[in-house]
Amino acid sequence: MIGQHVAVEAIGLDERTRLRPRGLGWLVWRQHRALVWFWLAAVLVAVVGFPFLRGAMVSYIDSHHIAGCAEISNDPNCQGEAVQGAVDRFRMTYGDSLKGIGWLLRLLPTVLGVLVGAPLLARELEGGTWRLVATQSYSARRWLAAKLLRVGLLCALGSAVLALLFRWVWQPSANEVSGISWFSTSFVASGGPLLVAGVLLALAVGVAAGALVRRVVPAMGATLAVLVALQVALSSVRPYLWPWHTEIVPMSELPNSVWGIAQGYLRPDGTRLPYGDPCGGNDVAGCGADVREFTDVHHAADYWPLQLVECGICLVLAAALVLFTLRWSARRFG
C-alpha cells in the first residue's frame, strides 16, 4: 500500500512537472513575467472602465438629444442655445476624457519601446547574463527569436484590445459631438491598427538600439530620440500616403468628417495660387477672373487606405530592424 501511495504521488508530481513551462519558454516567462502581469492589469482596467465611460456618454447624448450635433452646425435642430450648450458641456466633460485617453494610447508605443524594447537585450549585454545562453541546448538565434516573438505578441495583442475598446467608446460621439474626428491626432494613431503597428515598430527600434548600444540607459535615450523623430516624420507625410481630392470650397466650410490638408486659390486654367498672399499684395480679384478658393481633402472613406499604408510602412521598418537585430546579435552572442 505504501509503495502504491508513493507511486501515485510520483505520478502526480510527474504530471505537475510536465504542465510547468520548461526550457526556453520558462526562461522567457521568468524574465518578463512582471511585464505580463502589468500588461494584463492595464488591459483589464480598460475592459472594465471603458464600458462605463461609453454608457455615460450615450446616456448624455440621448437625454440631451444632441446626436450628430457639432458645436457649430448648419442643422436647424442643432442650433438652439440649449443644444449648443449641451454639446459644449459634453466636450468639456467627455470630450476631454476621450482626448486624454487618445493621447495616452498615442504615447503607448514610445513608452513600450523605451521601457520594454530598449532593455530587452541591453540588460543582457550590460549584465553579462547572455553568457548563460551559451550553456543551454538551444542556439542564441533561437533564444533571441523567442524573446522577440513572445514580447512582441503580448504587446501587439494588448494594444489591439485597447485600440478596439477606444474606437468603440469613441463611435457614439465621433466627428460631431465630441469634436474628435477620425483624422484627429488623438484618434488616428490610437483607434485603429496603426496603434498595433506603432507598438511593434517601437519595440523593434528599442531592441535594435539595445543591441547596438549594449547599455540600458543610453539605449533608452537613443530609442526615445529615434521614436520621436519617426513620429514627427510619419505625422508629416500621413496626409499624402493616399490620393486626396480637390474641392472648390473654403476649408472653414468643410464638414467635421472631412479632413482638409491644404488650401489655396484656383484660376480657370488650373493654376494654383498660395492661400496666404496669392496676388502679391493685391486683392484676390486682381489675380484674374473667376479665381476660386479650393481645399485638398480626405473623406472618411480614406481612413482605412491611409491606415493600411502607414501600417505597412511601420511593419516593414519593424521587420527590417528585427532581422538586423537577429543577425547582428547572433554573431555577438555566439
Side-chain angles (χ1 to χ4, degrees):
M1 295 293 293
I2 295 176
Q4 291 179 347
H5 181 68
V6 171
V8 170
E9 286 188 347
I11 293 173
L13 180 61
D14 185 59
E15 290 293 333
R16 290 194 297 270
T17 302
R18 282 202 297 265
L19 291 174
R20 291 176 181 173
R22 294 179 297 173
L24 189 56
W26 178 85
L27 177 61
V28 175
W29 157 253
R30 290 283 297 177
Q31 288 183 319
H32 303 291
R33 62 187 184 277
L35 168 65
V36 173
W37 292 120
F38 174 80
W39 195 229
L40 289 176
V43 173
L44 182 61
V45 168
V47 169
V48 173
F50 279 20
F52 285 100
L53 177 59
R54 177 186 165 104
M57 290 169 52
V58 170
S59 176
Y60 185 99
I61 291 172
D62 291 343
S63 62
H64 291 82
H65 309 290
I66 58 173
C69 290
E71 203 167 36
I72 300 176
S73 176
N74 293 324
D75 187 346
N77 297 321
C78 299
Q79 293 177 353
E81 183 177 349
V83 174
Q84 288 292 294
V87 172
D88 185 58
R89 289 191 297 273
F90 181 93
R91 292 190 176 188
M92 289 189 296
T93 304
Y94 301 106
D96 289 346
S97 298
L98 283 175
K99 285 181 182 179
I101 295 171
W103 277 102
L104 286 176
L105 291 179
R106 188 169 184 264
L107 292 174
L108 181 63
T110 302
V111 172
L112 290 177
V114 171
L115 299 182
V116 178
L120 196 66
L121 294 183
R123 184 180 292 114
E124 308 280 359
L125 291 165
E126 186 174 16
T129 54
W130 63 272
R131 294 184 178 89
L132 293 173
V133 179
T135 66
Q136 307 301 316
S137 59
Y138 39 82
S139 66
R141 187 184 297 273
R142 183 184 169 196
W143 171 68
L144 287 169
K147 286 172 69 73
L148 296 178
L149 178 62
R150 284 166 170 80
V151 172
L153 184 61
L154 174 67
C155 293
L157 289 175
S159 58
V161 172
L162 292 174
L164 287 171
L165 285 171
F166 181 54
R167 186 179 187 87
W168 178 66
V169 173
W170 166 83
Q171 281 178 334
S173 63
N175 296 320
E176 304 293 345
V177 184
S178 66
I180 302 174
S181 304
W182 61 268
F183 55 84
S184 297
T185 305
S186 57
F187 178 79
V188 67
S190 306
L194 187 55
L195 178 62
V196 181
V199 164
L200 293 176
L201 176 58
L203 290 173
V205 169
V207 170
L212 290 172
V213 178
R214 300 171 62 89
R215 295 174 59 192
V216 175
V217 175
M220 294 170 72
T223 301
L224 178 61
V226 172
L227 290 178
V228 170
L230 280 173
Q231 283 195 358
V232 172
L234 288 172
S235 297
S236 63
V237 301
R238 182 174 295 143
Y240 312 105
L241 296 176
W242 192 255
W244 58 88
H245 315 275
T246 299
E247 298 186 358
I248 308 303
V249 60
M251 186 178 290
S252 59
E253 296 180 9
L254 292 175
N256 293 327
S257 60
V258 177
W259 184 12
I261 61 174
Q263 58 184 334
Y265 292 94
L266 195 67
R267 282 178 169 166
D269 61 0
T271 303
R272 291 190 169 206
L273 304 173
Y275 182 77
D277 188 16
C279 307
N282 299 320
D283 185 82
V284 174
C287 297
D290 299 325
V291 173
R292 297 172 294 174
E293 189 171 350
F294 75 88
T295 305
D296 291 330
V297 303
H298 282 294
H299 293 279
D302 295 334
Y303 171 81
W304 285 110
L306 287 166
Q307 280 274 308
L308 294 177
V309 171
E310 191 167 350
C311 284
I313 294 173
C314 292
L315 293 177
V316 168
L317 290 174
L321 285 171
V322 168
L323 289 175
F324 164 78
T325 304
L326 286 173
R327 289 177 176 273
W328 190 90
S329 298
R331 291 198 301 268
R332 299 289 296 190
F333 288 142

